[in-house]
Amino acid sequence: MEQFIACLKGLEDPRTGNAGRHDFYEILMIAFCAVLCGGQSAVDMALFATAKEPFLRGFLTLKHGTPSHDTFSRLFRLLDPEQFRATFQRFMTRFSETIQGVIAIDGKVLRRSFDHASGKSALHMVSAWGCEQRLVLAQIATDAKSNEITAVPKLLEMLSLKGTIVTVDALNCQRAIAQQIVDQGGDYALSLKGNQPTLYADVQTFLDDPAATVSTAEPMVDGDHGRIETRAATVSTDIGWLQETHHWPGLAAIGKVTRRREFADKITSETAYYLLSAPLTPERFGQVVRSHWGVENRLHWRLDVVMNEDQDRSRMDNSPHNLAVLRHMAINLVQKDPTKGSLRGKLKRAGWDDAYLAQLLARFRNAIALVRYAMRGSRGWFAAGCYAPLARLAGGGCDAGLARAVGGGCDGPLARLVGSGCDAGLARVVGGGCDAGLAGWLAGDVMGTDAVGWRVMRCGLGRDCYNGRAKLSSWPSGSVIWK
């Protein structure tokens, strides 16, 4: 719970008087757990708290019992969405610092978040999606007097773009956005349509000319969903003539992708045109354009179909915005779980299986600990040790729960291994014999050292560590240590 509270640092409790009877952080933790189990509304959160009270009391106090649905509703209506979004951003800081590849930016309307009585329009959320990592990197809401074009620059400011390629739809193909991406050290692939009429006409005329100097990749053919699709990508870096007229910021190449789809009863074709800030090969260009659809297929579709976001009728005050952020946090956490299965299946399993829910929470806590570690700065590496991230191992084998060893190194966003092997369990230490079960290691677990090594006093969720029936007080090489 300490790690969860640390992640929420700076988030102010908006409640006053008797409304603050239940612990602020415990309410948020219960809400997060409920969303991980498929909950959608304040009513679902209250039902979850009642049904899972024995499980929740394993790590929460619940001094005044479980909160009611009014308590959940009141909190999310009053909670400052900008502060809550900043909390999400802190959680994602470690990931965004190391993001490489394609970042797809697109907006989505929460269709049933409108309110006719107050004249409030539906909430429009703009998200940045890490295509390779399959994570929501950042999000921002547009207000009634704004639109997506004004939101995207603010969203870009939240991200580290060095070494990435940013893709946006034609609506956001704007000079200011292109300039900002370049200024932040990134590259772009901007979809070009009729909202830039003169530029679009010139690019279309040139790339459709058989005599143009272009490079074309071998066509890619896919057969799925009852159709056969053939895609051909073309790139040209012969743009000096184009820049003389348009002076587009950072432009290095132009490209087009032609798609031909064969159905049982018809054949369709379309051509899309793009502005590129890097002279990509046609093969890489095709991959980048294809990756952009991840924000639709792997984020928006899942939010709508799996998490039923469009049917959520939470619409009062700040509730739609705050719950949208909570869903993004949940989908990121489940995405990082390496267990095989669909998102829908994992959400259901979390609701049915307390051990699996605890496993997800341990992963969340470990991620927070890594962010805290990164914020404090590195304290150095132990010889032949493992940063895990809640534990470092000196010497022997490590079952760190969040990564798999590849050769001499460790492949995983939350762990690095130097030396001995690392496996993908849940905080089981090989050789030492401590089965932490549901948790991993807390900062308070380590209490000094002795002649043998680091002394481990407690593990897991405050439970004592045992090897068989003998309580463990010290460990040889292979000890889990936290500094």
Side-chain angles (χ1 to χ4, degrees), residues 178-388:
Q179 185 66 62
Q180 183 176 349
I181 294 171
V182 173
D183 289 345
Q184 290 185 224
D187 286 308
Y188 60 72
L190 309 179
S191 179
L192 180 63
K193 289 185 179 180
N195 59 328
Q196 300 284 346
T198 306
L199 180 59
Y200 175 75
D202 288 346
V203 171
Q204 182 184 39
T205 300
F206 178 80
L207 291 178
D208 290 348
D209 184 352
T213 304
V214 299
S215 299
T216 302
E218 289 294 324
M220 298 292 294
V221 181
D222 289 327
D224 204 356
H225 304 291
R227 67 172 183 259
I228 299 174
E229 182 180 63
T230 304
R231 300 183 302 277
T234 299
V235 174
S236 176
T237 56
D238 182 14
I239 60 165
W241 61 274
L242 190 66
Q243 283 292 70
E244 289 178 1
T245 303
H246 297 281
H247 307 287
W248 191 268
L251 187 66
I254 55 177
K256 73 173 182 178
V257 174
T258 302
R259 306 180 184 94
R260 185 175 186 272
R261 298 185 179 97
E262 301 178 35
F263 299 87
D265 56 345
K266 63 179 180 179
I267 297 176
T268 64
S269 63
E270 65 175 355
T271 302
Y273 299 88
Y274 295 85
L275 303 179
L276 309 174
S277 66
L280 303 177
T281 64
E283 291 79 11
R284 177 55 178 161
F285 167 58
Q287 294 170 358
V288 169
V289 171
R290 185 76 168 164
S291 295
H292 179 77
W293 291 101
V295 70
E296 295 285 357
N297 300 333
R298 296 193 174 100
L299 177 60
H300 295 166
W301 186 89
R302 287 175 169 179
L303 287 171
D304 285 344
V305 177
V306 178
M307 305 186 84
N308 212 22
E309 184 175 70
D310 269 356
Q311 299 305 313
D312 183 15
R313 288 297 286 137
S314 301
R315 59 193 184 278
M316 299 299 292
D317 302 321
N318 298 326
S319 185
H321 191 170
N322 288 323
L323 292 180
V325 174
L326 200 63
R327 281 188 288 267
H328 284 171
M329 292 177 72
I331 202 170
N332 273 0
L333 184 60
V334 177
Q335 283 287 123
K336 298 306 295 182
D337 176 37
T339 307
K340 290 185 178 180
S342 65
L343 177 64
R344 187 192 302 275
K346 290 181 178 181
L347 295 179
K348 288 183 176 180
R349 182 181 172 189
W352 296 333
D353 185 352
D354 288 353
Y356 181 67
L357 176 57
Q359 176 181 332
L360 292 178
L361 293 177
R363 188 175 297 278
F364 177 74
R365 186 183 61 211
N366 288 350
I368 295 171
L370 184 60
V371 173
R372 293 177 67 189
Y373 178 85
M375 291 172 66
R376 288 196 304 266
S378 174
R379 296 182 179 177
W381 299 87
F382 285 80
C386 174
Y387 179 74

Side-chain angles (χ1 to χ4, degrees), residues 2 7 11 33 95 102 133 139 172 185 202-203 205 214 221 255 302 337 351 367 381 445 451:
E2 290 181 2
C7 184
L11 186 61
C33 290
F95 296 116
V102 179
Q133 296 75 22
Q139 78 280 103
N172 295 299
D202 288 346
V203 171
T205 300
V214 299
V221 181
R302 287 175 169 179
D337 176 37
W381 299 87
D445 292 342

Side-chain angles (χ1 to χ4, degrees), residues 416-454:
R416 294 178 183 169
L417 181 66
V418 180
S420 301
C422 180
D423 200 0
L426 275 176
R428 297 187 183 195
V429 179
V430 179
C434 176
D435 184 350
L438 300 179
W441 302 89
L442 305 179
D445 292 342
V446 178
M447 305 293 292
T449 62
D450 57 21
V452 178
W454 289 84

Side-chain angles (χ1 to χ4, degrees), residues 18 30 42 74 99 103 106 115 120 130 146 161 178 183 209 232 235 267 274 311 357 376 409 416 423 461 470:
N18 290 336
I30 295 171
R74 185 184 304 111
I99 287 297
I103 298 177
D106 198 19
D115 185 13
K120 180 181 178 181
S146 184
L161 300 183
D183 289 345
D209 184 352
V235 174
I267 297 176
Y274 295 85
Q311 299 305 313
L357 176 57
R376 288 196 304 266
R416 294 178 183 169
D423 200 0
L461 296 174

